[in-house]
C-alpha cells in the first residue's frame, strides 16, 4: 500500500520544537502505528531532502545520511524517495511497539526485501509511551538533563509497579549519612538511625554501590578512632568524587539520607563489620533506590554523569510529535503520538550489554547490591541505566519493559532477582567477579542467600549450595581464566579456611553448573545423610570455620590422572582419567595446574584418587576425590569429570559405602 505525504499541512501539525519540513510534518500518525505494515510512504527527492536537512529538518537529516547507503545511488536527481515498513521485518523482538524503516530508492524502481539487503538504509523508531512522552522532546545534538528522566522513572515505578513495592516492611540501617545536617554547608554527618525523630513510617534512604579500588585509591572510611568525628561533621571536600556525586544526585532528587558502606560500617571493628554484613540484604532491599557508579573503578572517578547522551551512544535520535486533527464532530480534537527516530536501529540486548559494562560489575560485593535493590540507577560512561523488577531501560530507550523467557531462567521460585535467573546462574556470575579478600567470599553472597531462603523452603544453606540441590550440585566445574583479574584474590600461600573442597567457594576460578542441568538418573541411592557446618560468625549464611557432607550409598572407583590427551569431545585443558592404564574418561581439575595434583598423588603422601559417581547421562558423571591418609581424614575434592558409558562394567564390583567429604 502506498501513502503519499502531502506537500501541505492538512490535518497534521508538529509541535515538538524540532524543525520539520512540510513533507515530514505531513506524515500521518497512522504510518507510525504498530499495526501499520507493508506500507511505502513517498517523500521527496534526495536533493530536496538534503536542502531541507540543511535548513534544519531533523528527520530529513537522519533519512538522507543514514549508514549503509550505496554510494552509487547518491544521485541528486532521484525523483521521489520512499520509506517502507515491511510486512514482517521486526528486528527488535520484545521491544514493542517498535519497527524498522527502510529507505529504498526512487519511484522508477520497485525494491523488495532482497533489494533491501543489497541497498540498505535502515533506521529505527519507537513509539514513546506515557509518562515519558510528557517530558520535553529530545532534539539531535542537544544537552539532555538526566534528573527529569530519573524522576519519571521513580514516579512510574512507585505508582505503577506493584512488584517493586510489595513486601517492603519498615527498616532503617544502623547508621546513615544526613545530607541536610547543615543548611549553610555541603558538609554531611553520620547519624544513628535509631535516634532519628520521625512520626509514622521510617524515612526513605538511598544506597550507593561503588568500587573501592586498590588501597591507594580508597575513599575515607569510618573507624573506631574517628567514629565520634564522623558523627559530628564530615567535610564535603574530604569525600571522594564518587561520594560527592552520589550526595549531589540524592539532594537533587530531594532525598535526605544516604547509606555508604565504607562510612556507615566501622571498618576496623570486626563485630560491627560482621553484624552489618549480615544486614546487607535488608539494607539494600529496603532502600528507596540504589545509585551505582558503574564506570568508575575507584572513588576518584565519580559517577561519570554523561552530559551528551547522543554522542556517547554514537547514534543520533530525535523526538517528533505528530498530531492528527479532525477527530470527532467538532473537528477540534486531535490524536497525538510521539515518535523517537534513531539514525540506526537499536538492538536492546546488545545495547544493554554495552552500557552495562563497567568495573562495578566485575566486583563480587556489588552483585548482591544490584540484585537486592528494588531500584537501581546506574551511571555509565554511555548514559543512564534503570533496573527494577518490572523495567529495564536506558536513557536512550527509557521505556522498555523486559520479559525474560529462556531455559536459562528460573521458575517463579527465583524471580526475586532482577536478572530473573536461578541460584546456579547467580553463583556463576558471582564466581567470575574479583574479590580482594577471599575470606569475604561467602560473606559477600550472604545477603542474596538470606533472601533466597524464602524460595528454598526447608533447605539448609551451606557454603554457597542448597541441600535440596545436593548431591547433584557437586558437579560444578572450574572455568579456566584467560587473564588475571585487575585486583588479584588472595595468593595461594594464604591458608585461611574459606569453604569445604566440595563447594565452588573453595576455588579461586569462575565455575559452571552446566552438568547439573542434565536430566541425569541412576544415582544408585546416593544420599546426603548429614550436613556439618561450623559458623565463623553468627550469620548462618556467612563465613564458615568448617563444613562437611556425610554421603551414604557412595560408589567409588579407583582412578589415576594422566597428562594423556582426553577423548575428542573433552576440553583441551582437561586431563584423562585412567583405570589400570586405560583412559576411561576425563576430569577438569579444580587446581590451576597438574603440578598440584602431582603433589596430592605423590608416593610420599600415599593418597589414592577415587571417582565418585553422581549421575548417569550418556556417560557417568561424578567428581574425583582424594582419600585422606587416615580413615578419619575424610575425602577432599580435586576435580569433576566423567567416565565413558562403554566402561560401565567398572562399577559392577563397587559396593555402596558411607563417606565424609570435607
Amino acid at each position: 500500500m502506498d501513502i503519499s505525504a502531502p506537500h501541505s499541512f492538512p490535518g497534521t501539525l508538529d509541535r515538538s520544537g524540532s524543525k520539520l519540513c512540510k513533507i515530514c510534518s505531513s506524515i500521518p500518525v497512522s504510518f507510525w502505528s504498530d499495526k501499520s505494515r507493508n506500507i511505502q510512504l513517498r517523500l521527496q527527492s534526495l536533493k530536496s531532502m538534503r536542502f531541507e536537512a540543511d535548513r534544519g529538518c531533523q528527520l530529513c537529516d537522519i533519512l538522507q545520511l543514514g549508514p549503509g547507503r550505496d554510494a552509487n545511488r547518491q544521485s541528486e536527481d532521484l525523483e521521489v524517495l520512499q520509506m517502507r515498513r515491511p510486512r514482517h521485518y521486526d528486528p527488535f523482538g520484545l521491544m514493542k511497539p517498535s519497527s524498522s524503516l527502510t529507505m529504498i530508492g526512487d519511484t522508477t524502481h520497485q525494491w523488495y526485501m532482497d533489494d533491501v539487503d543489497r541497498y540498505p538504509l535502515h533506521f529505527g523508531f519507537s513509539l514513546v509511551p506515557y509518562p515519558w512522552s510528557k517530558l520535553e522532546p529530545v532534539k539531535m545534538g542537544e544537552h539532555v538533563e538526566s534528573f527529569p528522566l530519573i524522576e519519571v522513572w521513580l514516579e512510574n515505578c512507585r505508582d505503577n509497579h506493584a512488584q517493586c513495592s510489595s513486601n517492603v516492611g519498615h527498616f532503617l540501617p544502623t547508621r546513615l549519612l544526613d545530607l541536610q545536617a547543615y543548611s549553610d554547608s555541603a558538609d554531611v554527618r553520620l547519624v544513628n538511625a535509631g535516634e532519628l525523630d520521625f512520626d509514622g513510617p521510617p524515612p526513605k534512604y538511598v544506597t550507593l554501590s561503588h568500587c573501592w579500588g586498590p588501597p591507594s585509591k580508597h575513599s575515607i572510611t569510618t573507624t573506631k578512632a574517628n567514629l565520634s568525628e564522623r558523627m559530628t561533621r564530615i567535610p564535603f571536600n574530604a569525600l571522594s568524587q564518587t561520594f560527592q556525586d552520589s550526595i549531589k544526585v540524592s539532594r537533587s532528587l530531594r532525598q535526605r539520607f544516604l547509606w555508604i558502606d565504607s562510612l556507615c560500617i566501622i571498618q576496623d571493628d570486626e563485630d560491627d563489620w560482621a553484624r552489618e554484613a549480615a544486614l546487607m540484604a535488608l539494607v539494600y532491599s529496603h532502600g528507596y533506590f540504589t545509585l551505582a557508579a558503574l564506570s568508575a573503578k575507584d572513588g576518584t572517578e565519580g559517577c561519570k554523569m554523561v552530559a551528551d547522551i547522543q554522542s556517547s551512544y554514537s547514534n543520533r535520535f530525535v523526538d517528533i510529535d505528530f498530531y492528527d486533527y479532525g477527530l470527532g464532530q467538532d473537528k477540534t480534537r486531535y490524536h497525538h503520538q510521539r515518535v523517537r527516530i534513531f539514525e540506526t536501529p537499536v538492538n536492546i540486548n546488545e545495547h544493554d550489554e554495552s552500557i552495562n559494562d563497567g568495573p562495578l560489575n566485575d566486583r563480587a560485593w556489588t552483585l548482591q547490591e544490584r540484585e537486592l535493590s528494588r531500584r537501581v540507577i546506574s551511571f555509565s560512561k554511555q548514559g543512564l541505566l534503570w533496573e527494577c523488577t518490572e523495567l529495564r531501560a536506558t536513557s536512550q530507550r527509557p521505556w522498555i519493559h523486559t520479559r525474560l523467557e529462556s531455559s536459562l531462567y528460573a521458575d517463579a521460585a527465583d524471580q526475586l532477582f532482577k536478572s530473573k535467573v536461578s541460584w546456579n546462574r547467580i553463583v556463576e556470575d558471582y564466581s567470575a567477579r574479583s574479590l580482594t579478600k577471599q575470606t569475604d567470599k561467602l560473606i559477600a553472597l550472604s545477603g542474596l542467600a538470606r533472601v533466597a531462603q524464602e524460595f528454598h523452603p526447608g533447605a539448609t544453606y551451606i557454603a554457597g549450595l542448597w541441600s535440596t540441590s545436593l548431591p547433584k550440585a557437586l558437579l560444578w566445574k572450574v572455568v579456566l581464566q584467560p587473564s588475571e583479574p585487575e585486583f588479584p584474590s588472595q595468593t595461594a600461600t594464604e591458608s585461611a579456611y574459606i569453604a569445604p573442597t566440595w563447594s565452588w567457594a573453595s576455588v579461586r576460578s569462575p565455575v559452571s553448573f552446566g552438568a547439573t542441568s542434565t536430566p541425569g538418573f541412576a544415582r544408585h541411592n546416593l544420599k546426603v545423610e548429614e550436613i556439618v557446618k561450623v559458623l565463623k560468625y553468627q550469620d548462618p549464611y556467612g563465613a564458615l570455620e568448617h563444613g562437611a557432607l556425610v554421603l551414604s550409598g557412595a560408589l567409588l572407583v579407583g582412578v589415576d590422572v594422566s597428562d594423556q590427551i582426553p577423548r575428542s569431545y573433552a576440553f583441551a585443558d582437561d586431563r584423562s582419567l585412567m583405570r589400570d592404564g586405560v583412559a576411561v574418561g576425563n576430569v577438569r581439575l579444580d587446581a590451576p595446574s597438574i603440578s598440584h595434583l602431582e603433589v596430592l598423588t605423590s608416593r610420599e603422601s600415599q593418597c589414592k584418587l577415587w571417582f565418585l559417581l553422581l549421575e548417569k547421562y550418556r556417560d557417568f558423571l561424578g567428581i574425583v576425590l582424594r582419600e585422606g591418609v587416615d580413615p578419619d581424614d575424610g575425602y577432599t575434592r580435586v576435580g569433576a569429570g566423567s567416565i565413558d558409558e562403554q566402561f560401565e562394567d567398572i562399577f559392577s564390583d563397587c559396593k555402596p559405602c558411607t563417606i565424609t567429604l570435607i
Side-chain angles (χ1 to χ4, degrees):
M1 175 171 56
D2 278 353
I3 298 178
S4 297
H7 290 226
S8 60
F9 293 89
T12 61
L13 181 64
D14 166 50
R15 292 183 177 176
S16 67
S18 301
K19 184 178 180 181
L20 297 181
C21 66
K22 291 183 178 180
I23 300 300
C24 290
S25 296
S26 303
I27 297 174
V29 173
S30 60
F31 182 82
W32 308 100
S33 168
D34 189 48
K35 298 179 181 179
S36 179
R37 288 289 185 272
N38 198 31
I39 291 179
Q40 294 183 152
L41 179 64
R42 289 177 286 175
L43 298 174
Q44 55 191 316
S45 69
L46 181 59
K47 181 176 181 180
S48 297
M49 187 173 290
R50 287 177 171 168
F51 175 76
E52 296 295 351
D54 291 340
R55 292 182 61 192
C57 177
Q58 298 194 335
L59 182 53
C60 282
D61 196 8
I62 285 181
L63 296 180
Q64 61 100 18
L65 289 178
R69 186 164 181 80
D70 192 295
N72 296 325
R73 300 181 56 77
Q74 294 282 356
S75 172
E76 297 285 353
D77 58 0
L78 292 175
E79 294 182 4
V80 179
L81 294 172
Q82 302 175 30
M83 289 191 298
R84 178 181 179 183
R85 296 202 50 189
R87 182 184 300 275
H88 301 297
Y89 186 58
D90 181 11
F92 300 113
L94 298 176
M95 294 190 305
K96 293 183 177 180
S98 61
S99 187
S100 175
L101 309 184
T102 307
M103 196 83 149
I104 58 169
D106 59 33
T107 55
T108 61
H109 298 84
Q110 187 68 35
W111 303 100
Y112 295 94
M113 290 303 295
D114 291 341
D115 300 299
V116 170
D117 295 333
R118 292 167 54 198
Y119 304 108
L121 181 58
H122 300 308
F123 64 97
F125 77 91
S126 282
L127 304 180
V128 183
Y130 185 87
W132 293 275
S133 58
K134 71 180 184 181
L135 295 172
E136 288 297 315
V138 176
K139 305 181 185 68
M140 285 191 298
E142 74 169 350
H143 172 74
V144 179
E145 290 289 341
S146 299
F147 291 109
L149 176 57
I150 294 175
E151 288 177 334
V152 169
W153 271 329
L154 287 170
E155 177 185 345
N156 178 63
C157 182
R158 184 194 64 213
D159 296 343
N160 300 314
H161 293 172
Q163 294 184 53
C164 300
S165 301
S166 63
N167 300 322
V168 178
H170 295 164
F171 172 83
L172 281 178
T174 305
R175 305 175 191 92
L176 289 167
L177 291 171
D178 187 350
L179 310 186
Q180 298 177 13
Y182 305 98
S183 59
D184 59 346
S185 170
D187 296 349
V188 300
R189 74 183 184 97
L190 198 62
V191 296
N192 289 319
E195 299 175 2
L196 293 176
D197 184 15
F198 57 88
D199 295 326
K204 296 192 294 285
Y205 64 92
V206 178
T207 54
L208 175 66
S209 182
H210 66 107
C211 286
W212 284 46
S216 61
K217 296 293 183 70
H218 281 184
S219 306
I220 66 171
T221 62
T222 295
T223 63
K224 289 185 286 187
N226 64 28
L227 177 60
S228 178
E229 179 184 347
R230 298 280 187 261
M231 303 288 288
T232 302
R233 194 181 198 105
I234 304 176
F236 186 78
N237 292 334
L239 298 169
S240 69
Q241 187 63 53
T242 299
F243 290 2
Q244 290 183 8
D245 287 348
S246 65
I247 290 173
K248 291 176 182 177
V249 172
S250 299
R251 285 171 171 164
S252 297
L253 296 172
R254 299 177 296 281
Q255 300 303 309
R256 177 175 178 176
F257 297 106
L258 174 65
W259 188 91
I260 301 177
D261 53 0
S262 56
L263 289 172
C264 295
I265 300 175
I266 305 174
Q267 297 299 312
D268 60 350
D269 185 329
E270 185 175 6
D271 291 338
D272 188 79
W273 189 90
R275 182 175 58 254
E276 295 301 310
L279 292 175
M280 204 70 73
L282 292 173
V283 170
Y284 280 96
S285 62
H286 284 76
Y288 185 37
F289 57 86
T290 292
L291 299 173
L294 188 60
S295 296
K297 63 178 180 290
D298 56 60
T300 67
E301 297 190 342
C303 288
K304 295 188 180 296
M305 289 176 279
V306 177
D308 187 355
I309 293 173
Q310 297 191 60
S311 65
S312 66
Y313 285 116
S314 301
N315 184 19
R316 298 182 307 166
F317 55 90
V318 61
D319 289 343
I320 299 176
D321 289 344
F322 292 92
Y323 297 81
D324 271 357
Y325 284 96
L327 300 178
Q329 295 181 351
D330 55 6
K331 304 296 184 183
T332 59
R333 290 187 296 147
Y334 59 85
H335 171 62
H336 162 242
Q337 180 66 66
R338 176 171 294 176
V339 180
R340 177 163 290 188
I341 302 174
F342 302 91
E343 193 169 28
T344 60
V346 180
N347 183 309
I348 192 67
N349 295 320
E350 293 178 0
H351 181 63
D352 275 357
E353 288 301 320
S354 63
I355 194 176
N356 206 28
D357 288 339
L360 190 69
N361 285 340
D362 294 332
R363 304 298 293 162
W365 274 100
T366 63
L367 176 62
Q368 66 177 6
E369 297 168 5
R370 171 182 174 181
E371 293 290 346
L372 295 178
S373 299
R374 284 185 287 166
R375 309 171 182 96
V376 181
I377 305 166
S378 297
F379 293 87
S380 163
K381 60 186 177 182
Q382 285 190 291
L384 295 173
L385 176 67
W386 169 274
E387 294 174 283
C388 65
T389 304
E390 299 188 35
L391 178 67
R392 177 182 174 89
T394 68
S395 45
Q396 185 187 35
R397 225 177 244 282
W399 50 80
I400 303 304
H401 287 255
T402 305
R403 295 291 180 265
L404 300 177
E405 295 179 3
S406 167
S407 60
L408 294 181
Y409 301 124
D411 296 330
D414 275 318
Q415 293 299 302
L416 77 159
F417 304 125
K418 275 190 290 300
S419 54
K420 304 293 189 296
V421 297
S422 67
W423 178 257
N424 286 351
R425 297 294 178 258
I426 288 287
V427 169
E428 288 176 343
D429 184 349
Y430 179 79
S431 68
R433 295 174 178 237
S434 300
L435 195 62
T436 303
K437 296 180 179 179
Q438 281 294 308
T439 50
D440 290 348
K441 195 154 195 177
L442 291 174
I443 300 173
L445 190 66
S446 63
L448 279 172
R450 183 179 296 274
V451 174
Q453 179 72 74
E454 177 184 352
F455 301 96
H456 295 84
T460 298
Y461 177 81
I462 179 171
L465 297 171
W466 296 95
S467 61
T468 47
S469 68
L470 295 172
K472 190 171 184 177
L474 301 177
L475 283 172
W476 56 267
K477 285 187 176 183
V478 298
V479 177
L480 301 176
Q481 301 180 84
S483 61
E484 290 295 323
E486 183 176 358
F487 302 111
S489 302
Q490 280 181 222
T491 63
T493 59
E494 296 180 1
S495 58
Y497 184 86
I498 307 300
T501 61
W502 45 265
S503 166
W504 59 267
S506 66
V507 300
R508 293 176 171 84
S509 301
V511 299
S512 168
F513 284 86
T516 65
S517 63
T518 60
F521 59 92
R523 292 181 182 145
H524 300 283
N525 298 317
L526 183 64
K527 181 180 178 182
V528 178
E529 292 290 347
E530 184 180 1
I531 296 176
V532 180
K533 66 175 180 178
V534 180
L535 303 178
K536 184 175 182 178
Y537 304 110
Q538 295 182 350
D539 184 6
Y541 303 95
L544 295 174
E545 291 282 3
H546 173 70
L549 293 179
V550 178
L551 301 179
S552 64
L555 295 184
L556 296 176
V557 173
V559 293
D560 292 313
V561 174
S562 168
D563 281 333
Q564 179 177 329
I565 299 176
R567 296 171 62 90
S568 59
Y569 56 76
F571 290 92
D573 293 287
D574 288 353
R575 301 289 184 262
S576 289
L577 276 180
M578 310 295 293
R579 170 83 171 177
D580 298 329
V582 177
V584 296
N586 60 79
V587 60
R588 174 77 55 82
L589 298 175
D590 299 339
S593 67
I594 189 67
S595 61
H596 179 61
L597 190 65
E598 288 172 345
V599 173
L600 294 176
T601 59
S602 65
R603 290 184 177 180
E604 289 76 15
S605 69
Q606 296 297 311
C607 296
K608 296 180 180 180
L609 294 181
W610 299 90
F611 180 87
L612 171 63
L613 176 62
L614 295 178
E615 293 280 344
K616 171 71 167 63
Y617 178 70
R618 297 196 183 111
D619 294 333
F620 297 90
L621 309 180
I623 57 178
V624 176
L625 304 176
R626 170 182 176 261
E627 182 181 358
V629 176
D630 297 321
D632 295 335
D633 287 347
Y635 293 78
T636 56
R637 172 184 152 136
V638 296
S642 63
I643 290 178
D644 300 348
E645 60 179 344
Q646 62 179 303
F647 298 105
E648 182 175 6
D649 290 345
I650 66 177
F651 295 100
S652 59
D653 295 331
C654 293
K655 295 182 178 180
C657 60
T658 298
I659 63 173
T660 300
L661 303 185
I662 60 174

